[in-house]
Every structure is written in structure tokens, then in C-alpha cells.
Amino acid sequence: MKIDGIPFKQTGYFSKLIVDYLEEKEGLKSFYNRFPTFENFKDQIKEKKDNFPKSHRNVLVAALKHQYKNTTASELTKSNIDSLLDENAFTIVTGHQLNLFTGPLYFLHKIIATINLAKKLKEKYPENTFVPVYWMATEDHDFEEINYFNLNGKKLQWNKKVSGAVGKLDTNGLEAVCDTLSSELGSSTNAKYLVELFAEAYLKHNNLTEATRYLANELFKDYGLVIVDGDDADLKQLLVPYVKSDLFDNTSFKNVSASLEKLNQLPENYSVQVNPREINYFYLIDGIRERIIEKKGTFYINDTVLSFTKSEILTELEKHPERFSPNVVCRPLYQEVILPNLCYIGGGGEIAYWLELKAYFNAVEVPFPMLLLRNSVLLVTEKQREKVEKLDLTIADLFLKQNTFINKKIRAISNIDIDFSPQKKQLEEQFQYLYSIAEQTDKSFLGAVKAQEVKQLKGLDALEKRLLKAQKRKLKDHVIRITEIQNELFPNKSLQERQQNFSQFYLEYGQNLIPTLVANLEPLTKNFEVLVLKN
């Protein structure tokens, strides 16, 4: 049951760039194609349809069927894969790292947003098919970012010495994590299911790619989710012309750099999310994923003894396109080259770097997708909802920084006024009179008057803080209660969805968890949603 929502702007957890994007500020409009509204999808559909080759559809479907050969896909997923041969079929995509056991809770939110948007678009444009897609970041090499998940405040971590792309990592060593998970969850029916799910995914599949595919498929196959692994020689064959452009003309570097310069000229002082390199591809082979660096016509593989002449690297690319792995700047282009995609759904950081890329897409004549901020959700139990209501808290209160939150509530419930703003205003008015006298008599006194004003205002600040501190002691029990509920809902003083794993909620709500989220989350909302989970 949805009980409330708060605009992203008011949460304090999203950058000015993202807030301004959601408000469609004029200065940002040249950095994206179309803002995601149901009406705007009409033109996005036409543009993608007119610029996506039929031959790419054939390669895509053949690759997907090969990737799914060892996966038990649902009939809806199979149908969705087959439908991609049709020129009226399009994708809605989200991407995510291969986090252990899905990692943070928002993994679910991202995929559910793709499912719900695809469903809503089918209602709006019934003549078309819309396929929800999860792009696995199999070529990523940041193992430390994905080798753990949090459960009940504990970090369950996979300790392993690794190198290269994470998708190819064998799953040896995850038995210990499975044992820890089992002891942590207990012996309920839902706990047993979660342990079995982990064991089936990670102990019965040889590498992290296959394990993650199994896991995502098990959780979302009823919704027709299609899972894509970009680490595929046939799919990368479609990328070859763009890799050449990057290797020999630095196309992405030039265009993204120009976009950053344009972005930096805006008065808002937005922070840069990613900086391009001259070449934005890695070389990927045998446990190695290292940057390609060009020096005086020779292409070196960073931190290795490997090097190629221009003709050699061209031959390598044409014979082994799978060995060329796009970085964060070029991966979005790869996605849009091989998928008939309309919209990318991501978190704030992802949308921020996508906004740097439109000029590059224009330069290589690939349609730029719509960019949609994923759903963000605060999940609340019935018991927690009752506590919030009993303490007379609002949702907006809970999103405040803790010190501000406590001070606000203490002021609200105190039987004395702890706000000295009227006294400060009155003091400032009195000093304005003193300034006017000094101006008319001896201007050298202005400094003395100013010093006295600052001193007295500081004195009032000190008295106000001291009184507030005294009231906190007096109302200690109330402070403890409101702090406890905020800490429950915002673990580690951060968003719940960035800290907790889905298993913590599945343990209590079981098979109702994902259907409840699917039923209640709106894909085009501009609110951070709050959802009460019922057993």
C-alpha cells in the first residue's frame, strides 16, 4: 500500500543536476533528446524505428537465444525475445553490475521500472511491443564493488583474489557465503527458499555471468524480462565501426569533452560525472581488462607487455571484436547499437553521465534514448508505520539529516519557544538605528557598532543552542524513539535501498514482495515513493 511520496528535490539525496533535469530546466535541454513522458514516446519510437537496421535484429535475437540455451526461460520471455525480430518491437533497458545476490535493494527497483514502463507503453501504443531488458555489466572489473551484500546490518562478503572482467569469474568460494546466509536467515519457509535460490545460482553455475542470469531470471521471468550479456562476439561485431572511430579518430573523447565544456559553462556549476579518455575501450583477454593507450601510432595495453601497430590492432578488432570492451563512456553507445531501445532507466549517477553523451551519439548518428530516473522507494512495515504516526512524524521529517530532524521535532513538541528568530530580528533592527546615528556623527564608530552586533547575535545563538540542548535532555525518551525509527528506515544514515538486500524483506513477505512492488510503483513519477508492506 502506497502511503506517501516526497519530491526527489526535497529528499536531500539527489544532485542539483538530477533535480534540474527532472524539472526540465532550459539549460539542460540540449543534453538530452526527449524528456520521458508517454506522449514523447511517439516520436522516440519513430526515430528508433527509422534508424535501427533489420540486420541488427537478426544478430540480436540469434545471440539472445544462444545466451539462453542453458536457462529455463518463461514463455513470456521467449515470446519477447522472438518479438525483437519485428520492426515494431522495442526495448526498455536498465543495467546493473553483477552484485552478489543482487546487492542493494534498488536492483529490484530498476528492473521493476523497466517492466512497468514496458507495460504502460503497451497500453498507450498497442500496435507496438515493448520488451523489458536487464543489461548485465559482465565486463566490469570492479570486484570490490560487487563481492558482498548487507543483511541484518552484517556484510556477507565473497573473498577471492581476482583479475579481469567479473562475468568470467568462477564461483568457487561461495559455499562459505551460502553457509553464512543460511545461519543468518534461519529455518522459515522463506528462509529456505532464499538459501536454495542462492545455492542454485552460485553453487550450480560455473561463472558469475551465468549465476546472475539464473538469479535475475528466477526473480523476474514471470514478467518477461530479457537478460542481455554484452560480452558476446556476434553482438560486438556490430560495434566494430564505432571502435575503429574511437581508436583512430578519438570520436568519443572529442565530443564528450565538448559536452563537458558546454556543461561547465552553465551557471549552476554542475559536477562532472565521468571524464573521457582519448580511447574509451579496454582490451579484454585471459583475466586481463586493461586500457588501450595510443602513443606515436602504437597501441599499448596498459600494465602489460602487449602492443599493436595500427594495422595489427585493426586486424585484431576485425578477427576478435569480443576482445574490445567499452568503458563507461562507450558502453551506452554499444547498448543502443545492438538494441532497438527507446529508454534507459538508471540511478542519479547514471543519468548524470548519460547527459554528457548526446553530442557523441549525434556525431556517430545513433539515436539517443530517453533517460528516466529509476524508482526510489522507502519500504515501511506496518509496525514502523504505526510508530511514525504515534510520534507525529511526516515522511519529509524522516528524510532530514538526523541533527536537523531532532532539532525540528524538539522545537515542535517543546512547551517553550526555542526559536530566537524574533529576538534576532529585533536586535538587527536596533542596530540599524545605531548604524544610522554613527553615519551622521562619526563614521569611525561603524566598525565598533558592527562588532557589537556580531557579538550580541552570537550570544543569542549560544543561548538558543544551550536551551535546545537542555530540552533534548528533558525530552530524552522522545529523542531516542524518533532516532530509532529514523535509523531503522535509513540504515547507516543512508537510503534503505542503497544499504539493504532484498532478502531482508523477502524473509518476511516472501512471494508477495516483487508483485507488491510491481503493482505500486509508477515508472514516470517524480516522487521518492513510500510503500507500506503488508503480510
Side-chain angles (χ1 to χ4, degrees), residues 411 417-431 452-468:
R411 284 189 169 98
D417 192 357
I418 313 176
D419 185 0
F420 285 4
S421 295
Q423 289 79 9
K424 293 174 187 175
K425 185 177 179 181
Q426 185 179 10
L427 185 63
E428 287 169 351
E429 288 172 353
Q430 290 173 345
F431 271 93
Q452 193 60 225
E453 180 187 21
V454 169
K455 182 179 179 181
Q456 292 194 33
L457 285 171
K458 282 185 177 179
L460 280 176
D461 279 337
L463 287 172
E464 185 178 20
K465 289 175 182 176
R466 190 168 178 179
L467 188 57
L468 188 60

Side-chain angles (χ1 to χ4, degrees), residues 393-411:
L393 302 173
T394 67
I395 295 303
D397 288 336
L398 293 168
F399 277 87
L400 293 171
K401 300 302 180 187
Q402 192 159 96
N403 194 53
T404 305
F405 170 56
I406 293 170
N407 289 346
K408 179 183 177 183
K409 297 313 296 179
I410 290 300
R411 284 189 169 98

Side-chain angles (χ1 to χ4, degrees), residues 57 61 111 244 280 314 404 407:
R57 291 182 180 274
V61 172
I111 291 178
K244 288 181 184 178
N280 290 290
L314 184 57
T404 305
N407 289 346

